[in-house]
C-alpha cells in the first residue's frame, strides 16, 4: 500500500491536530496515509493489541503507565524532488519511559 502525494493542494506537512484545517482533498490523502501506517502497525506487524481499561488497570502496577504516541507527517520526494508519497509515521514517545532499557531490549519494526 502506498499513498500518492501527487494530488496534494498544499506541500506543507500537517500536524495531526491540525487536520480539520486541511482542504477536503488534502484531508482525504493524509487520512489514507495515517490509516496505512496504523493498519500496518496493528494488522501486519501486530505491534500492539487492544485491551480494556480494566485490563490496563490490572497491568499498570506491573508494567507502568502506557507511553503516549504521536504521528509525524512527511512528504517523500521522488528521484526528481517532486512530491511522490504522503507518509505518516506513528511513534511512541520512549523518552518519557521511566525505565532504564538497553538497546537490545527495544523493538523497532
Amino acid at each position: 500500500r502506498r499513498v500518492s502525494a501527487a494530488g496534494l493542494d498544499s506541500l506543507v506537512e500537517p500536524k495531526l491536530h491540525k487536520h480539520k484545517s486541511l482542504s477536503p482533498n488534502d484531508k482525504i490523502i493524509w487520512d489514507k496515509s495515517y490509516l496505512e501506517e496504523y493498519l500496518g502497525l496493528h494488522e501486519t506487524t501486530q505491534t500492539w493489541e487492544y485491551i480494556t481499561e480494566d485490563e490496563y488497570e490490572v497491568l499498570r502496577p506491573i508494567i507502568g503507565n502506557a507511553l503516549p504516541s504521536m504521528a509525524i507527517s512527511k512528504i517523500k520526494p521522488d528521484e526528481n524532488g517532486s512530491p511522490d508519497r504522503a507518509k505518516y509515521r506513528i511513534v511512541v514517545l520512549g523518552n518519557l519511559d521511566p525505565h532504564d532499557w538497553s538497546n537490545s531490549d527495544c523493538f523497532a519494526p
Side-chain angles (χ1 to χ4, degrees), residues 16 34 37-38 41 47-48 67-73 88-96 107-109:
L16 191 58
Y34 182 85
E37 173 72 359
Y38 177 84
L41 286 174
T47 304
W48 72 79
L67 295 174
S69 64
M70 68 182 212
I72 301 169
S73 60
Y88 260 114
R89 180 70 65 205
I90 299 172
V91 296
V92 173
L93 298 177
N95 58 318
L96 299 177
F107 171 73

Side-chain angles (χ1 to χ4, degrees), residues 51-92:
I51 61 173
T52 65
E53 192 170 338
D54 291 337
E55 291 171 320
Y56 173 65
E57 291 304 325
V58 170
L59 289 172
R60 190 162 59 168
I62 301 165
I63 62 172
N65 292 331
L67 295 174
S69 64
M70 68 182 212
I72 301 169
S73 60
K74 185 73 178 161
I75 298 174
K76 300 283 189 167
D78 63 11
E79 59 276 354
N80 299 321
S82 299
D84 183 49
R85 184 176 184 199
K87 178 72 179 148
Y88 260 114
R89 180 70 65 205
I90 299 172
V91 296
V92 173

Side-chain angles (χ1 to χ4, degrees), residues 6-51:
L8 286 171
D9 296 327
S10 170
L11 298 182
V12 176
E13 297 161 349
K15 305 282 188 234
L16 191 58
H17 69 278
K18 298 211 176 192
H19 257 203
K20 292 178 183 176
S21 63
L22 294 174
S23 72
N25 184 54
D26 284 5
K27 186 168 180 355
I28 290 169
I29 291 171
W30 285 111
D31 284 350
K32 285 181 182 177
S33 177
Y34 182 85
L35 188 60
E36 173 193 38
E37 173 72 359
Y38 177 84
L39 293 176
L41 286 174
H42 182 63
E43 294 175 354
T44 308
T45 63
Q46 298 176 347
T47 304
W48 72 79
E49 65 182 71
Y50 290 106
I51 61 173

